[in-house]
Amino acid sequence: MAVYAIGDVHGCLPELKTLLQAVNFHPGRDQLRFVGDLINRGPDSLGTLRFVRDLGDQAIALMGNHEVRALSGLSGRPDRSFSRQMHFFDQAPDLPELYAWLRGLPLTHYDADLDVRMVHAGYLPGWSPETVETFARQLQALLLDDARIGPFFAQHPPTLPDQDPGPTDGFARLHFALSVLTRLRLCQPDGRVVWSIPGRSGGEAFRLEPDSPYRSWHALLDWPGRERLVYGHWAIAGLNRTGRFLGLDSGCVYGGKLTAVRLDHPDAPITQIPCPCYVTAE
Ligand SMILES: [Mn+2]
């Protein structure tokens, strides 16, 4: 058996199938771990969702910010960016099944056998792994709750705080936690989150130049232990294999590559499939 972690697919189903052929993936023998953002921007989001879902126990897919955006739109929150970008859901006769599956995607995953922890974007410096797991459990229960998922997205705060607001009334702290786990890239040197950079937009805004005043979240994380920390989301930073960190978003939908790394054999060569550029900007 082999266990492969795969970067952000973004609807690039032809390239995903090519990648699985390249690693000789064998359903029934091997396992796949997706870091999230299966959908949006690429040519076949619905096909990618159905393909990964139909792998059943052979695959674990984390929830990315694009899945969060889909849930927000599908649960009733008016969202112009949703209707503009995710029109493919209009064509899905199996929308109820896809929506139900999306709601169940985990925010984090820990594999004790491999000592590998995964998340879509990152972890707030200052939070412990236990804090992260608590938020992830609370969020998953909330997103699976018919009575709360709509109000949760309807009560998205107009701006996110740059640090953990602590216990709050309503959903403010869980919105912050969800955004950290699915959107975090940059922090101030003191660990406060940089959600956006004035005057810059799109993924290019998060290119970390050597003279940047900001730091990557993983440069600030000081968790003890040796578990490997696998994430995606940061296409402009590209493949990152530094110490215990493994960043897998190599920008396939932007004309980069789709990456698979064998988690059970860390010294095995990585496999990458080049992709055409399906989009030019956010
Ligand atoms: Mn993402």
Side-chain angles (χ1 to χ4, degrees):
M1 183 186 89
V3 183
Y4 297 98
I6 296 177
D8 308 43
V9 179
H10 276 303
C12 297
L13 183 59
E15 290 75 18
L16 173 59
K17 290 182 173 176
T18 303
L19 179 68
L20 296 181
Q21 285 177 354
V23 300
N24 195 26
F25 171 70
H26 193 293
R29 181 191 66 193
D30 302 326
Q31 291 272 329
L32 302 180
R33 307 277 165 80
F34 292 91
V35 293
D37 280 359
L38 292 175
I39 60 170
N40 218 1
R41 300 201 169 114
D44 193 356
S45 290
L46 291 176
T48 304
L49 278 186
R50 294 172 184 137
F51 181 82
V52 173
R53 178 197 61 190
D54 291 347
L55 289 168
D57 293 342
Q58 304 303 122
I60 294 169
L62 294 184
M63 190 176 296
N65 55 306
H66 288 264
E67 282 81 37
V68 170
R69 194 183 300 174
L71 289 181
S72 174
L74 294 171
S75 65
R77 180 187 178 221
D79 184 338
R80 276 179 297 159
S81 72
F82 172 83
S83 57
R84 190 173 66 244
Q85 292 188 348
M86 302 208 191
H87 52 85
F88 50 83
F89 280 115
D90 299 339
Q91 319 300 322
D94 54 346
L95 180 57
E97 291 84 4
L98 294 176
Y99 177 60
W101 186 74
L102 285 169
R103 289 170 68 180
L105 298 183
L107 273 302
T108 62
H109 181 262
Y110 177 68
D111 185 312
D113 293 333
L114 298 175
D115 201 18
V116 170
R117 193 179 296 275
M118 295 180 65
V119 70
H120 178 62
Y123 307 106
L124 188 72
W127 279 353
S128 68
E130 293 73 26
T131 301
V132 169
E133 290 306 316
T134 299
F135 282 132
R137 274 197 303 275
Q138 291 175 348
L139 283 162
Q140 181 146 48
L142 190 160
L143 296 176
L144 286 169
D145 185 338
D146 290 337
R148 288 193 295 158
I149 183 170
F152 172 71
F153 285 117
Q155 294 174 36
H156 194 288
T159 58
L160 286 165
D162 64 2
Q163 53 192 324
D164 185 348
T168 59
D169 291 336
F171 296 121
R173 194 181 197 192
L174 286 176
H175 272 295
F176 177 79
L178 180 61
S179 293
V180 166
L181 297 175
T182 60
R183 291 177 48 205
L184 181 65
R185 295 185 184 99
L186 293 176
C187 294
Q188 302 281 359
D190 64 4
R192 285 177 295 137
V193 179
V194 178
W195 293 116
S196 61
I197 299 172
R200 301 180 71 181
S201 64
E204 187 70 28
F206 295 98
R207 185 188 294 278
L208 192 53
E209 308 286 359
D211 61 349
S212 170
Y214 310 125
R215 308 283 300 279
S216 69
W217 65 267
H218 47 83
L220 298 172
L221 200 76
D222 61 353
W223 286 359
R226 301 182 60 180
E227 65 188 0
R228 283 174 291 157
L229 300 171
V230 180
Y231 64 97
H233 185 62
W234 203 344
I236 202 72
L239 181 71
N240 176 34
R241 292 199 292 172
T242 308
R244 67 193 301 190
F245 296 99
L246 175 57
L248 286 175
D249 191 347
S250 39
C252 73
V253 81
Y254 303 102
K257 294 170 181 170
L258 186 61
T259 298
V261 173
R262 208 169 151 176
L263 294 178
D264 59 318
H265 258 270
D267 296 330
I270 66 170
T271 305
Q272 293 190 304
I273 298 300
C275 297
C277 184
Y278 292 109
V279 292
T280 53
E282 287 207 358

